[in-house]
Amino acid sequence: MTRSFNTSTDLPVTLEPRYQGPDELGFSRWLGRMPVWVLPLIAAVFLIWPTVVEAQTVYSAQKIMDIMAKWLPLLITQGFLMNVIISFFTMLFGTIAGLFLGLGRVSDNSGIRGFSWLVVQLFRNSPWLVLLFIVMLTLPFEIRIAGTYIAVPDWMKAVFGLSLPIMANLAEIVRGAIQSVPSAQWEAAESLAFSKRQIMWQIILPQCFKRMIPPWMNWYAIMTMATPLVSLLGVTELVTLSRQAMEAEGNNPSLLMPFFGFALIIFFAYCYPIARLTLRLEKKYAVKG
Amino acid sequence: MIETIQDFFRTMADTYPKWNFIFFHEPAQWDRVVSGFFVTLQLSVACVILSVIIGIVGAWAQGSPSRTIRWIVQGYIQFFRNTPPLIQLLFFYFALGQFTPTVTGPDGWTEQPIISNVGWAIISLSFFAGAFNVEIFRSGIEAVPKSTLEAAESLGFTRAQTYTNITFPLALRVSLPALNNNLINLVKTTTQAIAIAVPELLYEMVSIWNDYASAQNAAMAVLFFTYIALVGVLAFGMNRWEAKLLVPGFGKARR
Amino acid sequence: MSDQDWTDQQPIVSIKDVHKAFGTLEVLKGVSMDIMKGEVICIIGPSGSGKSTLIRCINALNDIQAGSITIEGQEVHDTKLDKLELRKKVGMVFQQYNLFPHKTALENVMMAPIKVLKQPRDEVEVRARALIKKVRLEGKEDSYPGELSGGQQQRVAIARSLAMDPDVMLFDEVTAALDPETVKEVLLTIKELAADGMTCILVTHEMGFAREVADHIYFTDRGVIVEHGPPETFFESASDPRTKEFLGQIL
């Protein structure tokens, strides 16, 4: 008697859920999977919109177009470019600080480990806006370096405010990546008489580097989407300028759609390729086996 | 007792002029903090409940046989997940707020919109978090094996009985970790209601430090740790619930 | 024939010329069989021959395109049929146990009588404990499915079906997912059930078991019944070449 048919014994109690807890690439995965035609579709909706509302308002579609054409160059060069600059610097500071904080999380010294844990918890769990407010107000408007006063512009303070949560979240990515390197690597390197510091910087971190890039880019996209928050603190960027422009044009409600619609499209157009690239890299760097 | 505490902070403000915890010794300022805290609490609770309802209804609608309904739900998710919540808030309040009817206020002569700024904040933030909840619940439902539901069917359960007794309890267990994360994020996002002048905790604290420069450091510290505590309590409660619902051999315990 | 006219002198399950297709793939091409009360039937055959589909059609988990299936004279695929009445008469046990993972063994057994039949809880509990004892799982009442072995889970699944007090039990390859050691305990439970006079329809690969307990064996291949008969004649003197080939491979 044999039972040669269909004898798999490892039957799942539950299927793997598609949204398995907090996915570290959730945002990019979602954005990157969107078909390319979504962008022109959104653009079309906001172009057609003025024509649709024309009947209800004093503004003709032509007039709305003229107003938009007048403001667009400013919105891009003074507005969105500012969001991009803020996001670059935020990422720069957040990455450097996050790397060291992440190293602190895996330090041999329990004091450093505990302190890093506390910092990560505090800045991951507080609202970004609260951090922004606190940093904007506590940082001086100028700093004294070697006898000369250097003004700290508002947007630079905003960069520091946004860097804090980014630092804490990137620290967790660094820690996760370091801990994912098999401990045999440490032992092998130790047996070759490398020092602890050498092992970390020359052997472990280079291995983690590729693994960290996709989640790192994912956080870049999330943070870029959060840059309009700084408009609440009076920093000049796209949303601040859009609201000022609408005010200058008499705050007509029919301007809300085209202005906010433009903000939407430009953020989308910027983040979408990043998300696509993130997913490509994730696939490329996926650990085999 | 209260006098002692007030005296303590008054003396402290005199000794260290930069650390004036004004709301701990001036009842009027204390009332502002408390009212701000309760608005934040109200926003959070209302949005958590509403967004969970939106999530459940949306996940159910996504399983609808009608393609139109599925597309509408999909469109809703796409829109709310991709745009910054701040722009959503501004859009809801300024753009849609234009079209809501007004009623005569309690004073008998001012015209007030039916939906206040608090109302718009609740609606906008609930839709924002709800979009994520739909996805979370849907994947939870998908994680329930079809064969388990078939077993229920063969035992004579109706569709509704299967849903309430089997599908929902199992889907909830799968969804909880992600739901936990999203609700914490929601509580943090309520601060953005300051953009439409909702008098929540951040708003009240900012006005206090604008009014009393000496209270700035104190207000910041209290603000920061209040939110940490709020998020901590929510996370603790959700983790306890998760642990309580954990059954051997299902979900987390398997890995 | 309506269920009022049915007496246990007539087949309890009657399958007549059943056709079933999934899209263009025809799985059952005119299958007929009659099962009397108290009989134990084994359906054997190569994978993909339609055995499982047939047994699922008996329970109306799958619908059929043509033909008829009656249980105690009641047409199963009658759209006006009260499904609940059918489910009360027919119990089913699956290959993958399909216990409810968030309920203990006892709760799994008690759930359907309480929720579906609306029977009083304490009465159901007495019966459920007796059933758990019957499948030799005393002491495991409060264990969750995740804490039980495959064989133990399968026996809880059998008790769960029996709690509905069915007239016919369907077993869909119930031992196929089990370790060889635990197969025995499940088969023993089924054997006892058969000895108690329960009408059983089994899809199985356990030839030794089929030979021992079955009153009648059906061999299906590519959607038709190729050959059938009592075990002695079936195993000793199969006439069809397809049956011979299958038995040759498996014995």
Side-chain angles (χ1 to χ4, degrees):
Chain A
M1 183 176 81
T2 58
R3 298 182 307 115
S4 54
F5 301 93
N6 200 2
T7 48
S8 66
T9 49
D10 187 28
L11 289 156
V13 182
T14 174
L15 307 173
E16 284 305 307
R18 263 165 60 185
Y19 193 116
Q20 179 68 56
D23 177 0
E24 59 173 9
L25 289 185
F27 179 73
S28 298
R29 213 178 293 288
W30 167 78
L31 186 58
R33 277 186 189 151
M34 227 182 264
V36 188
W37 48 260
V38 172
L39 185 61
L41 183 79
I42 298 173
V45 167
F46 285 100
L47 279 176
I48 295 163
W49 180 264
T51 337
V52 179
V53 291
E54 193 177 353
Q56 311 163 15
T57 58
V58 288
Y59 279 26
S60 68
Q62 186 56 48
K63 179 142 190 227
I64 290 178
M65 291 293 187
D66 289 346
I67 292 174
M68 286 304 288
K70 187 169 89 188
W71 287 99
L72 271 191
L74 185 80
L75 288 182
I76 293 170
T77 56
Q78 309 276 304
F80 189 68
L81 195 65
M82 215 48 224
N83 293 72
V84 174
I85 290 172
I86 290 174
S87 71
F88 271 156
F89 279 98
T90 301
M91 210 55 191
L92 180 69
F93 296 145
T95 304
I96 295 169
L99 176 63
F100 284 99
L101 192 59
L103 288 173
R105 290 278 278 122
V106 293
S107 163
D108 286 337
N109 182 322
S110 66
I112 296 177
R113 224 169 36 233
F115 176 75
S116 313
W117 174 85
L118 186 70
V119 171
V120 166
Q121 292 306 318
L122 285 183
F123 292 122
R124 273 182 96 191
N125 288 319
S126 48
W128 294 28
L129 201 50
V130 169
L131 291 175
L132 267 175
F133 265 103
I134 291 176
V135 170
M136 294 292 282
L137 275 154
T138 32
L139 281 189
F141 60 93
E142 52 181 22
I143 47 169
R144 203 182 143 198
I145 296 175
T148 49
Y149 287 93
I150 299 167
V152 181
D154 266 359
W155 65 265
M156 198 34 119
K157 291 199 226 169
V159 163
F160 289 125
L162 286 173
S163 300
L164 292 174
I166 289 298
M167 163 191 79
N169 283 295
L170 291 183
E172 283 302 275
I173 289 169
V174 171
R175 180 187 64 93
I178 290 174
Q179 286 179 346
S180 73
V181 175
S183 58
Q185 292 280 330
W186 281 94
E187 286 152 19
E190 258 166 80
S191 72
L192 292 170
F194 280 96
S195 76
K196 273 241 144 79
R197 180 165 300 181
Q198 282 175 322
I199 299 174
M200 182 60 89
W201 288 91
Q202 291 170 18
I203 295 161
I204 305 297
L205 281 179
Q207 287 187 48
C208 312
F209 183 64
K210 280 181 180 173
R211 217 168 297 185
M212 290 188 292
I213 286 183
W216 180 82
M217 287 173 60
N218 185 54
W219 272 106
Y220 177 70
I222 291 174
M223 184 264 298
T224 306
M225 296 280 281
T227 50
L229 281 183
V230 306
S231 74
L232 293 177
L233 291 117
V235 178
T236 303
E237 50 74 70
L238 181 63
V239 175
T240 322
L241 276 183
S242 300
R243 296 180 79 175
Q244 284 169 0
M246 281 185 273
E247 230 157 82
E249 295 292 342
N251 257 339
N252 193 293
S254 50
L255 290 175
L256 282 164
M257 275 300 250
F259 272 97
F260 284 140
F262 172 71
L264 218 151
I265 292 167
I266 199 161
F267 271 107
F268 190 102
Y270 185 71
C271 293
Y272 182 69
I274 297 175
R276 290 296 288 251
L277 186 64
T278 306
L279 293 188
R280 271 244 308 274
L281 291 178
E282 192 216 9
K283 214 180 266 170
K284 198 173 146 193
Y285 297 152
V287 187
K288 307 254 154 43
Chain B
M1 178 64 189
I2 292 173
E3 278 79 22
T4 334
I5 297 173
Q6 289 181 339
D7 282 342
F8 172 79
F9 281 108
R10 206 168 287 129
T11 330
M12 185 175 171
D14 292 338
T15 335
Y16 307 98
K18 284 201 158 179
W19 289 94
N20 180 7
F21 284 84
I22 192 164
F23 30 82
F24 287 154
H25 57 82
E26 244 185 55
Q29 306 308 320
W30 172 247
D31 289 347
R32 282 167 90 173
V33 175
V34 170
S35 95
F37 182 74
F38 276 108
V39 173
T40 290
L41 218 54
Q42 184 195 343
L43 270 183
S44 305
V45 172
C47 292
V48 163
I49 293 172
L50 248 165
S51 72
V52 167
I53 293 174
I54 291 173
I56 293 172
V57 173
W60 171 78
Q62 272 210 325
S64 154
S66 154
R67 187 179 286 189
T68 326
I69 291 179
R70 286 204 308 269
W71 277 17
I72 290 172
V73 178
Q74 201 51 36
Y76 155 69
I77 296 173
Q78 308 278 354
F79 180 81
F80 280 89
R81 280 186 66 168
N82 182 33
T83 49
L86 178 67
I87 297 186
Q88 289 167 23
L89 257 171
L90 297 174
F91 179 77
F92 266 87
Y93 183 62
F94 290 109
L96 296 186
Q98 306 278 345
F99 304 111
T100 51
T102 56
V103 286
T104 310
D107 50 15
W109 52 277
T110 51
E111 287 282 298
Q112 296 178 340
I114 278 185
I115 303 173
S116 65
N117 53 351
V118 178
W120 279 117
I122 291 174
I123 292 172
S124 157
L125 291 171
S126 298
F127 273 105
F128 164 68
F132 289 85
N133 285 351
V134 173
E135 288 279 279
I136 292 169
F137 285 137
R138 189 190 48 104
S139 52
I141 290 171
E142 277 175 3
V144 178
K146 224 179 132 242
S147 54
T148 305
L149 304 180
E150 226 165 40
E153 196 190 339
S154 79
L155 285 169
F157 284 82
T158 62
R159 270 168 163 269
Q161 283 171 334
T162 305
Y163 193 84
T164 51
N165 290 304
I166 317 292
T167 313
F168 186 75
L170 291 179
L172 184 69
R173 284 171 170 84
V174 177
S175 306
L176 267 183
L179 185 68
N180 193 347
N181 255 29
N182 188 35
L183 294 185
I184 285 171
N185 196 31
L186 171 64
V187 170
K188 293 198 282 185
T189 312
T190 58
T191 50
Q192 299 188 14
I194 197 178
I196 57 172
V198 172
E200 41 74 78
L201 186 64
L202 177 61
Y203 179 95
E204 293 291 359
M205 285 304 204
V206 169
S207 4
I208 289 176
W209 80 51
N210 281 340
D211 293 350
Y212 304 92
S214 63
Q216 199 172 305
N217 290 343
M220 281 177 187
V222 169
L223 178 68
F224 185 69
F225 288 106
T226 308
Y227 273 105
I228 295 283
L230 208 58
V231 168
V233 167
L234 180 64
F236 178 76
M238 291 292 283
N239 285 336
R240 282 286 294 273
W241 194 27
E242 218 180 299
K244 212 180 143 203
L245 286 183
L246 194 69
V247 288
F250 185 80
K252 226 179 172 180
R254 279 178 63 231
R255 9 196 82 229
Chain C
M1 187 164 67
S2 83
D3 56 345
Q4 274 81 25
D5 304 329
W6 181 80
T7 66
D8 55 13
Q9 300 308 307
Q10 291 160 328
I12 188 165
V13 178
S14 179
I15 300 169
K16 286 200 177 64
D17 197 29
V18 165
H19 288 257
K20 162 78 187 166
F22 294 103
T24 54
L25 179 72
E26 225 184 347
V27 198
L28 299 176
K29 305 168 190 164
V31 172
S32 301
M33 59 174 75
D34 282 332
I35 297 133
M36 302 301 290
K37 189 169 163 40
E39 262 191 318
V40 177
I41 298 298
C42 284
I43 304 170
I44 62 172
S47 299
S49 63
K51 307 166 297 208
S52 287
T53 308
L54 177 63
I55 205 170
R56 289 163 61 87
C57 288
I58 299 176
N59 201 14
L61 281 177
N62 289 354
D63 56 357
I64 56 175
Q65 266 86 43
S68 92
I69 299 176
T70 59
I71 292 180
E72 296 181 359
Q74 177 70 55
E75 174 59 55
V76 168
H77 293 274
D78 181 351
T79 41
K80 282 172 294 189
L81 171 77
D82 178 8
K83 283 260 172 74
L84 178 58
E85 282 306 307
L86 169 71
R87 311 287 193 207
K88 276 202 295 196
K89 285 179 197 160
V90 185
M92 180 150 180
V93 184
F94 299 83
Q95 178 182 341
Q96 307 176 19
Y97 345 126
N98 295 343
L99 292 179
F100 307 131
H102 60 310
K103 298 283 176 185
T104 63
L106 186 66
E107 286 168 336
N108 261 284
V109 178
M110 291 170 61
M111 218 167 153
I114 291 175
K115 302 280 180 189
V116 178
L117 303 181
K118 315 279 184 211
Q119 292 172 348
R121 192 179 183 89
D122 30 337
E123 209 174 275
V124 173
E125 185 169 340
V126 173
R127 231 174 57 227
R129 287 188 184 279
L131 281 170
I132 291 207
K133 195 173 166 190
K134 189 184 162 96
V135 297
R136 295 200 182 86
L137 282 173
E138 252 181 319
K140 296 286 182 191
E141 285 89 350
D142 296 323
S143 304
Y144 284 94
E147 297 167 323
L148 298 174
S149 76
Q152 289 171 332
Q153 288 191 55
Q154 195 58 291
R155 283 181 285 154
V156 174
I158 293 173
R160 182 175 68 172
S161 286
L162 290 175
M164 295 293 279
D165 202 13
D167 299 335
V168 180
M169 284 286 283
L170 308 176
F171 295 90
D172 186 4
E173 300 196 29
V174 289
T175 55
L178 299 177
D179 302 326
E181 310 89 69
T182 53
V183 167
K184 229 180 287 165
E185 54 194 34
V186 172
L187 292 182
L188 186 64
T189 306
I190 300 174
K191 209 163 121 186
E192 286 171 352
L193 209 57
D196 288 351
M198 174 66 75
T199 312
C200 297
I201 303 174
L202 294 99
V203 168
T204 186
H205 292 298
E206 301 289 344
M207 292 306 145
F209 177 73
R211 191 170 195 161
E212 196 184 330
V213 297
D215 297 311
H216 213 83
I217 291 180
Y218 286 84
F219 175 72
T220 58
D221 191 19
R222 281 167 238 163
V224 292
I225 293 177
V226 178
E227 194 161 6
H228 66 93
E232 315 80 58
T233 49
F234 180 84
F235 284 107
E236 303 308 328
S237 48
S239 52
D240 191 277
R242 278 190 277 180
T243 320
K244 277 185 190 154
E245 192 197 338
F246 177 74
L247 291 176
Q249 278 172 8
I250 208 159
L251 288 176

